[in-house]
Amino acid sequence: MSEPNVADAMGGGFANPPRDAAIAFRAALDVMARPGVIREISGGHPPLPLSPAAGSLLLVLCDPETRVYLSPSCDTDAIRAWLRFHTGAPLVAADEADFALGPWDELCVDLGKMRQGVQDYPDRSVTLIVEMDHLAAEGVRLTGPGIQAEAYLNLPETAAFVANARRFPLGFDTFFTSGSQIAALPRSTRIEGAS
C-alpha cells in the first residue's frame, strides 16, 4: 500500500467545525428519531468512494474511543489516513466495531460477527453506515416509534432488517447514506413488506 498524501488526509473536514458539526449532528439525531425521513447532511468531504454524507457522519460520531470497521471497498490508505487525522478513531475487525461502514453487499457478509448487544447491555451493539446508490421514500412500509402513521424507505434488502427488528431490544441500528443525503432505521422500527 502506498502512503496517502498528507494534504489529502488533512483536507475534507468541516470548513467551520463548530457550526458544521452541530448541523450534521442534528441531522443524524433527527433521522434516527424519525425513521424513513431523508435529510441533507454535508460538510465532510472524505476520499472516494465515501459519500459526503458518510464523511459527515464519521466526523460527528467518531473519536479516539470509537472503533470503526471499514468494509473492503472502503478500506483504502486514503480513507484510513483521513479518518485517523480527523477523528482519531481506531480501525478494527468487524466483530469489535462500534460503527461499520460500507455498501450493504459487503457489510451483510460480516453481519453475523458484529456485536448485537446482550440482554443486560443491548446498547453494546454496532451501528451500520450503509452507502447506497440513492435514497427514496418508497419500498418497505415502516411503523413504530418516531413514525406518526407510516413511512416508506428503500432498503438494500428486507429480510435482514425484519429479522433485526424481531430481536429488539438487541440488534443493530442503521444509517443509510447517499451523496449528501441520510436516512436511518433503528432496531425498534417494524418493517411490513414492500409497497
Side-chain angles (χ1 to χ4, degrees):
M1 290 187 176
S2 62
E3 282 297 311
N5 183 311
V6 174
D8 291 342
M10 292 173 63
F14 292 133
N16 181 342
R19 178 184 173 278
D20 294 347
I23 291 169
F25 189 67
R26 172 71 183 238
L29 289 178
D30 187 45
V31 296
M32 193 58 78
R34 301 173 62 205
V37 168
I38 299 169
R39 291 278 183 259
E40 291 289 319
I41 183 173
S42 60
H45 301 284
L48 294 173
L50 294 189
S51 67
S56 298
L57 266 183
L58 292 169
L59 289 173
V60 297
L61 298 179
C62 296
D63 61 31
E65 305 297 315
T66 311
R67 299 166 298 175
V68 177
Y69 167 72
L70 299 174
S71 75
S73 67
C74 296
D75 192 5
T76 67
D77 288 341
I79 291 172
R80 283 173 167 262
W82 183 85
L83 192 59
R84 190 178 312 113
F85 178 80
H86 288 284
T87 71
L91 298 171
V92 298
D95 62 341
E96 301 172 22
D98 298 308
F99 289 93
L101 168 70
W104 177 250
D105 62 339
E106 294 179 10
L107 292 178
C108 71
V109 171
D110 291 317
L111 200 53
K113 300 177 194 172
M114 294 181 192
R115 299 179 318 127
Q116 309 279 317
V118 293
Q119 210 56 48
D120 290 339
Y121 300 98
D123 59 317
R124 293 182 181 171
S125 61
V126 70
T127 297
L128 305 180
I129 301 173
V130 179
E131 288 274 53
M132 305 262 292
D133 290 334
H134 74 286
L135 294 174
E138 61 188 27
V140 297
R141 180 175 181 261
L142 309 177
T143 60
I147 301 172
Q148 236 178 5
E150 62 185 16
Y152 292 86
L153 187 62
N154 63 313
L155 300 181
E157 82 162 76
T158 304
F161 294 99
V162 169
N164 186 53
R166 287 188 183 131
R167 298 190 65 221
F168 181 80
L170 304 181
F172 55 87
D173 298 316
T174 308
F175 286 105
F176 300 100
T177 54
S178 178
S180 62
Q181 292 187 315
I182 183 176
L185 188 68
R187 68 191 85 174
S188 58
T189 303
R190 292 183 295 278
I191 300 157
E192 301 181 14
S195 61

